[in-house]
């Protein structure tokens, strides 16, 4: 039986990060809404309670019946989770005069407590809360303090069974700024909960291939390819399981990167996939003519894609399944925890009724970095695995204003220079610049014209903005600090080689408040 950690989500922005950290410990975990704790069985070896945007005193605060798991398996409460445990057991949680946010040091901690095994003195942690625990419940013991937070960490093993105590911390071990946070989570997941650390790309591939063969039998499966890592890994995994019974459809809407349709088709054929390539660009450009509203552009492209894909899929009359490269964050973000969906994902929400197909999602438990690890396990080409995320509507959401073939061609040339330069630039540490960036792309500001001088002539052409961000999961992102010599070279090359562009800018906005894409 596969072991797992249950993470109860109380609406924190970093809940996914907790899950990723647990998976990095080669341990399977499942993130569930705070009120959806499953019937516990022997597979559940521990429970983690996440943070929350609410105070425990708010009328709308999320509450869970702790008796479902306390005393049965080890429990770790993080931030709100720690405060909720204290509040529910008779402790005091009160508002502070100032919000406790940012770096702090564990100036005191119990070195003998298993949660802090191998911690160094004054270990840096990250605080982010408005309330604080001013009194821990009876039967609990403080095991960690900072200069400003006396009850930064506490625990209780008494009266609850020594094999399943409760730990709670008011800081966030899952974030990068808690320097020994991963060590704390390892102490909890591996040493305390007893994870056998059997979750790995190799075990995932072996298990999933066997499950797919059992699930699909000799049925025909259709998969829509995008050229991205998720759908590519999904296709390769299915091909390993069912071979010729998989048919892939790759739709070219005319707004892919330069020569991308041909390059991706060649890569897929090299993987031995059965791929149907469809050039539907004429339809997309016609339907987008004169449309400037970003949301309307997305809707038209989404509608047209479904129409084109369905028309091709119907030609495969014996198909019984539709496969999608849905990954775990897609499903988590589409769950309504706080009453508001973070975003509606194109892979989440069911199938068109007229298709009469069953849904197959082989990657539905994986985070993005795990998808890439599985890709390496499947020995896929590195250029497919390391490919930056690219929006479904393609360059349409990187062109401000209406979409024309001429504008797409201009942006394709500028974007190609930018990305190829990034692939060919080695940093001082020897690493390729492209691999240091989460996502990069050029944006055509076609609603703006800029004055310039080329030779003795005055020009009046469009600016291009370059965008590059660093991130771990795209939930938040910071602008990438690209080398000045690189930016200078790229700017000069774009202006000299791309007709219609006379100015290059670099976007230094982070997410939030900005989004990664401009539209």
């Amino acid at each position: 039986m596969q072991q797992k950690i249950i993470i109860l989500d109380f609406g924190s922005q970093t809940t996914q990060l907790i899950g990723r950290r647990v998976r990095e410990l080669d341990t399977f975990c499942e993130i569930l809404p705070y009120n959806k704790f499953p019937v516990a069985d022997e597979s559940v070896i521990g429970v983690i309670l996440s943070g929350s945007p609410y105070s425990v005193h708010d009328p709308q605060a999320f509450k869970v019946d702790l008796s479902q798991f306390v005393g049965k398996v080890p429990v770790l409460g993080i931030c709100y989770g720690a405060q909720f445990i204290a509040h529910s057991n008779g402790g005091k949680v009160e508002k502070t005069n100032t919000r406790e946010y940012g770096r702090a040091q564990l100036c005191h901690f119990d070195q003998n407590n298993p949660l802090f095994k191998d911690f160094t003195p004054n270990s840096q942690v990250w605080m982010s809360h408005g309330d604080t625990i001013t009194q821990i419940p009876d039967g609990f013991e403080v095991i960690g303090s900072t200069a400003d937070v006396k009850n930064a960490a506490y625990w209780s093993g008494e009266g609850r069974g020594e094999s399943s105590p409760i730990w709670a911390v008011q800081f966030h071990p899952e974030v990068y700024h808690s320097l020994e946070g991963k060590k704390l989570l390892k102490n909890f997941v591996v040493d305390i909960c007893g994870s056998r650390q059997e979750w790995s790309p190799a075990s995932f591939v072996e298990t999933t291939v066997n499950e797919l063969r059992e699930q699909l039998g000799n049925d025909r499966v259709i998969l829509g390819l995008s050229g991205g890592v998720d759908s590519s890994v999904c296709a390769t995994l299915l091909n390993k399981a069912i071979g010729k019974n998989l048919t892939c459809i790759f739709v070219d809407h005319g707004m892919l990167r330069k020569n991308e349709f041909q390059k991706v088709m060649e890569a897929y054929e090299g993987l031995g996939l059965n791929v149907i390539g469809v050039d539907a660009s004429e339809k997309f450009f016609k339907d987008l003519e004169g449309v400037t509203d970003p949301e309307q552009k997305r809707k038209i492209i989404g509608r047209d894609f479904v129409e084109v894909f369905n028309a091709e899929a119907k030609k495969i009359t014996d198909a019984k399944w539709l496969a999608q490269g849905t990954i775990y964050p897609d499903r988590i973000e589409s769950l309504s925890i706080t009453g508001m969906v973070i975003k509606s994902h194109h892979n989440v929400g069911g199938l068109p009724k007229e298709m009469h197909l069953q849904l197959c999602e082989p990657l539905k438990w994986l985070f993005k970095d795990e998808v890439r690890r599985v890709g390496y396990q499947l020995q896929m080409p590195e250029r497919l695995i390391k490919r930056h995320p690219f929006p479904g509507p393609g360059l349409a959401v990187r062109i401000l204003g209406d979409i024309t073939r001429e504008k797409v061609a201009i942006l394709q040339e500028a974007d190609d220079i930018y990305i190829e330069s990034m692939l060919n630039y080695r940093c001082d540490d020897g690493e390729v610049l492209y691999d240091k960036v989460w996502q990069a792309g050029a944006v055509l500001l076609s609603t703006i014209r800029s004055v310039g001088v080329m030779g003795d002539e005055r020009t009046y052409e469009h600016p291009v903005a370059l965008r590059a961000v660093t991130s771990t999961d795209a939930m938040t992102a910071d602008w990438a600090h690209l080398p000045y010599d690189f930016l200078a070279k790229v700017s000069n090359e774009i202006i000299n080689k791309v007709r219609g562009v006379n100015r290059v800018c670099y976007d230094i906005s982070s997410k939030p408040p900005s989004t990664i894409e401009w539209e």
Side-chain angles (χ1 to χ4, degrees):
M1 182 180 293
Q2 178 175 256
Q3 296 176 318
K4 64 182 173 184
I5 298 287
I6 296 293
I7 300 169
L8 291 183
D9 182 14
F10 289 85
S12 170
Q13 293 184 20
T14 60
T15 302
Q16 280 198 41
L17 198 49
I18 301 172
R20 291 183 67 248
R21 295 288 179 259
V22 173
R23 294 282 184 87
E24 287 169 4
L25 295 168
D26 298 323
T27 303
F28 182 69
C29 67
E30 189 172 350
I31 298 174
L32 297 172
Y34 69 97
N35 57 352
K36 300 293 184 183
F37 187 80
V39 177
D41 56 33
E42 292 180 0
S43 68
V44 179
I45 60 172
V47 175
I48 298 176
L49 310 184
S50 82
S52 175
Y54 295 123
S55 160
V56 295
H57 299 295
D58 289 343
Q60 68 270 43
F62 300 138
K63 297 177 173 61
V64 64
D65 179 5
L66 295 173
S67 67
Q68 296 175 93
F69 42 83
V70 166
K72 299 173 184 176
V73 293
V75 176
L76 173 63
I78 294 175
C79 196
Y80 174 90
Q83 294 170 0
F84 181 77
I85 290 169
H87 181 70
S88 300
N89 285 277
K92 285 187 180 179
V93 179
E94 299 179 296
K95 291 283 184 186
T96 57
N97 293 328
T98 58
R99 180 176 170 83
E100 294 169 344
Y101 181 84
R103 295 174 178 84
Q105 277 72 42
L106 279 178
C107 52
H108 302 290
F109 63 89
D110 183 355
Q111 296 179 346
N112 296 318
N113 193 282
L115 193 67
F116 291 122
K117 176 186 173 184
D118 297 329
F119 259 56
T120 56
N122 296 308
S123 181
Q124 178 179 293
V125 296
W126 185 265
M127 294 286 187
S128 179
H129 54 264
D131 291 356
T132 195
I133 300 168
T134 55
Q135 181 180 322
I136 61 173
D138 292 340
F140 288 78
E141 176 187 353
V142 176
I143 56 172
S145 305
T146 69
D148 298 316
V149 183
K150 177 184 175 183
N151 303 314
Y154 65 94
W155 88 306
S156 173
E158 297 178 7
R160 304 175 194 280
E162 286 298 330
S163 62
S164 52
I166 300 175
W167 281 266
V169 296
Q170 289 202 82
F171 54 88
H172 286 270
E174 71 275 18
V175 303
Y176 171 78
H177 298 296
S178 289
L179 299 185
E180 294 185 295
K182 188 172 180 179
K183 186 183 293 182
L184 183 148
L185 290 171
K186 180 178 183 293
N187 289 340
F188 179 74
V189 171
V190 179
D191 295 345
I192 293 169
C193 296
S195 168
R196 295 189 295 265
Q197 296 186 282
E198 296 173 335
W199 175 258
S200 68
S203 67
F204 173 82
V205 170
E206 181 181 0
T207 301
T208 304
V209 166
N210 289 334
E211 289 175 350
L212 287 170
R213 286 172 178 162
E214 184 177 340
Q215 177 188 23
L216 304 174
N218 200 39
D219 292 348
R220 176 83 64 182
V221 180
I222 302 171
L223 169 66
L225 288 172
S226 67
V229 63
D230 298 339
S231 67
S232 300
V233 171
C234 182
T236 307
L237 198 60
L238 278 161
N239 188 51
K240 186 177 179 68
I242 62 172
K244 61 181 177 58
N245 283 343
L246 171 67
T247 300
C248 303
I249 299 173
F250 183 26
V251 177
D252 180 7
H253 50 37
M255 288 153 283
L256 300 173
R257 283 176 158 152
K258 183 180 178 181
N259 299 327
E260 184 173 24
F261 185 69
Q262 294 82 3
K263 289 177 181 177
V264 172
M265 284 294 291
E266 289 171 5
Y268 285 148
E269 288 166 3
L271 287 169
L273 299 179
N274 176 25
V275 186
I276 298 172
V278 183
D279 181 358
S281 57
E282 194 65 40
K283 173 179 176 58
F284 283 88
F285 278 113
K286 181 180 178 183
D287 291 349
L288 285 168
E289 190 174 341
V291 178
T292 59
D293 179 72
E295 187 63 21
Q296 191 65 19
K297 284 192 224 175
R298 287 180 177 272
K299 287 181 178 178
I300 290 170
I301 293 170
R303 180 200 68 201
D304 284 4
F305 179 87
V306 170
E307 287 179 6
V308 173
F309 181 85
N310 286 357
E312 289 298 321
K314 285 177 181 177
K315 297 176 184 177
I316 307 168
T317 55
D318 58 343
K320 294 184 179 180
W321 298 83
L322 175 69
Q324 292 187 156
T326 312
I327 63 175
Y328 202 25
D330 301 337
R331 299 195 299 129
I332 296 169
E333 290 178 349
S334 297
L335 290 172
S336 179
I337 302 295
T338 60
M340 178 179 65
V341 174
I342 297 173
K343 68 176 182 178
S344 296
H345 193 271
H346 61 275
N347 274 351
V348 180
L351 300 170
K353 292 181 180 179
E354 68 272 14
M355 292 189 73
H356 304 293
L357 297 174
Q358 300 177 73
L359 186 61
C360 175
E361 299 172 308
L363 308 181
K364 64 182 179 181
W365 292 111
L366 299 186
F367 290 97
K368 176 72 78 173
D369 51 340
E370 292 176 312
V371 174
R372 290 195 168 101
R373 289 169 63 194
V374 168
Y376 281 115
Q377 182 66 35
L378 292 166
Q379 299 182 321
M380 292 173 59
E382 195 167 55
R383 66 182 179 276
L384 280 179
I385 299 171
K386 287 189 172 182
R387 186 175 186 266
H388 288 177
F390 188 66
L395 299 180
V397 293
R398 293 181 180 175
I399 295 174
L400 273 60
D402 64 325
I403 307 298
T404 65
R405 285 189 180 272
E406 180 187 12
K407 290 178 182 179
V408 170
I410 290 172
L411 184 54
Q412 283 177 331
E413 293 297 328
D415 181 81
D416 186 62
I417 291 170
Y418 182 34
I419 298 301
E420 286 300 314
S421 297
M422 195 172 280
L423 285 165
N424 293 321
Y425 186 96
R426 286 202 175 270
C427 303
D428 292 339
D429 61 4
E431 190 174 356
V432 175
L433 182 59
Y434 183 88
D435 295 339
K436 286 179 173 283
V437 173
W438 170 269
Q439 186 172 341
V443 180
L444 180 64
L445 281 62
S446 71
T447 57
I448 300 171
R449 287 191 180 273
S450 165
V451 176
V453 177
M454 291 187 180
D456 295 325
E457 294 183 5
R458 176 180 181 274
T459 61
Y460 195 52
E461 297 176 330
H462 300 299
V464 161
L466 305 181
R467 182 74 159 139
V469 298
T470 57
S471 181
T472 56
D473 50 21
M475 303 288 287
T476 61
D478 195 10
W479 61 277
H481 294 231
L482 301 184
Y484 287 161
D485 65 321
F486 170 80
L487 289 171
K489 180 178 181 297
V490 170
S491 173
N492 186 62
E493 193 170 349
I494 289 174
I495 291 171
N496 285 337
K497 292 184 176 179
V498 182
R499 189 174 297 276
V501 176
N502 66 354
R503 189 178 299 271
V504 174
C505 311
Y506 187 56
D507 184 346
I508 59 170
S509 310
S510 296
K511 175 188 178 181
S514 301
T515 53
I516 295 176
E517 299 294 343
W518 276 46
E519 289 194 344

